Amino acid sequence: DPWVSQKKNRPVLRAAADSPFAAEVHPIGMHTDNDNLRKADAILSSPVLEMEGDTVCSVWVEMQIPEDTVPGEYPCMISLYGGELFLPETKLASLPVTVTVYDCVMPSPAEHRFHLDLWQHLSNIARKHEVPLWSEAHFTVLENYVRSLGELGQKAVTLVVSEVPWAGQDCRDEYRMAANLFEYSIVPVTKTADGFVYDYRPMQRYIDLCAKYGIDREISLFGLANIWGGGDFGALAPDYPDQIKIRYLDEADGCYRYMTTAAEIDDYIRSLEQYFIATGQIGKVRLAADEPVDIAAYRKTLEHLHRAAPAFRCKAAINHASFIIEFQNEVDDYVPAIGTMTDEYDIMREYQNTLKGKRFLWYVCCGPAYPNTFLGSRLTESYFIGILTSYLKLDGFLRWAYTVWNDDPRTDIRYGGWAACDTNFVYPAANGTPLLSLRYKALKRGIQFYELLERLRASGDTEGLNEAFNMVVREKDIREYYRTYHSLEALCSVDYADYLGLKKFLLEKLSAK
């Protein structure tokens, strides 16, 4: 685009790609990390980025290779031009690039075996884009975010079906940066003279929207089990075993209120169950619990839930393996933290082998320091996430936050004591779309590694599979990850060349089959 700087005497640099394939070139935004250093992450939609002198600017160049492309080598050129105000441009530098195309077509993200579960926080998206919850404007914005998740290979729909189930993630604490992290129910409730009426249209609309982009393997319901609370966010119904908050509009006087009895809450839960049964979706539904700590309390909640709605199955992100055997009859999806896997790997493997039909994912969140997806993490760590999932023969990966932003994430993404970008993979753009990030792209590459490795495993080439893992997996025994070693380099390669070599190895192997 043409551009005249508001500041005098600023040169203009332009990057351009000359390629036989459709190519996009984007400037990359810089963000302040917890160490106060500026680091590249957001892939900007604006074609222009103003930078101060003596700073570094990166660009993202991406080429789309059609699946009918003839295998071979294709020369491309990335060029840099310079100019100032109305003077003619001059070419400053050129970087030749060779794109090698193999006879191997990646599956579409909807067809991925990798079970990706990045939780969606729809209320935060509405706040950042200044639209009313569940309005036409909200769903217009949501489609942009759902599309980005579908392109990544997301498999789970996140639905919040009660009020503030995470109690705002401590966002009212003064030591954190300003943030509103409260999530609200997608099911409007009205109390009429004949009883409660539940409006499932916004919920079903979001489910259908996700299915449009291939996100249709799982429906996770948050807000019915293991509610975070206490203090101001404690239980409203003294006779109910959890801290569920169901808001409703009372038609008698036009006031909003909250359910205060177990009987009222049970009526809502039974209605949800019957809705999913009637619509043929119950097999995909999971009542999700986020890190239940108290086995007895979680047991009491599940027993109550299953008396009210026995068709519901459960899913739990856990940080100790004892939950698996304790709830083997109630929970279908287990998601241990990586620290739980390393500390209790033998018993985790036993459960994985004996509890057939269960889904096993793993997750990272605020910790550990590595491997992770923070702003300060190496991008190779996201590559390694997919590789490690295949190496451990797990089904996929979970992370708690795709769009959990503070009040001004484009200015400063940090939030309290958490590592920068623990809360997000994308950023909100002013045009109602998500700005993807380098970490998003790296995770996509990691998932592609998983798909290629699993394809090689399915071919029966055990020797080739072991050779592939040896190229980047340094410590083969996950039990030793945090017991003996205290550096990322001891666990996996941090050299991009090794991962490029692994991709070349896999593509050559699979192209020959």
Side-chain angles (χ1 to χ4, degrees), residues 173-225:
D173 288 354
E174 293 181 357
Y175 80 94
R176 297 188 183 277
M177 297 186 68
N180 182 340
L181 304 186
F182 294 108
E183 287 294 313
Y184 302 107
S185 176
I186 197 171
V187 181
V189 181
T190 303
K191 186 177 183 181
T192 70
D194 298 322
F196 288 105
V197 175
Y198 310 109
D199 184 359
Y200 296 123
R201 288 174 297 176
M203 181 180 75
Q204 189 60 54
R205 183 174 179 179
Y206 186 67
I207 293 171
D208 294 341
L209 177 61
C210 288
K212 176 181 175 181
Y213 293 97
I215 306 171
D216 59 1
R217 195 176 295 176
E218 175 193 332
I219 300 171
S220 291
L221 302 185
F222 285 87
L224 298 182

Side-chain angles (χ1 to χ4, degrees), residues 97-166:
V97 176
T98 298
V99 175
T100 304
V101 178
Y102 295 88
D103 187 18
C104 179
V105 178
M106 293 298 299
S108 70
E111 297 170 331
H112 283 174
R113 307 179 193 187
F114 191 88
H115 193 93
L116 179 64
D117 184 5
L118 303 181
W119 294 352
Q120 301 116 61
H121 293 73
L122 310 185
S123 299
N124 207 323
I125 293 174
R127 281 190 293 271
K128 290 301 171 291
H129 294 287
E130 302 180 18
V131 293
L133 281 173
W134 326 129
S135 63
E136 287 296 324
H138 190 192
F139 275 98
T140 297
V141 171
L142 285 178
E143 182 157 8
N144 296 321
Y145 285 86
V146 170
R147 183 185 298 111
S148 72
L149 281 163
E151 290 170 353
L152 198 55
Q154 173 76 9
K155 294 292 177 277
V157 180
T158 301
L159 296 173
V160 173
V161 293
S162 72
E163 308 300 337
V164 296
W166 291 284

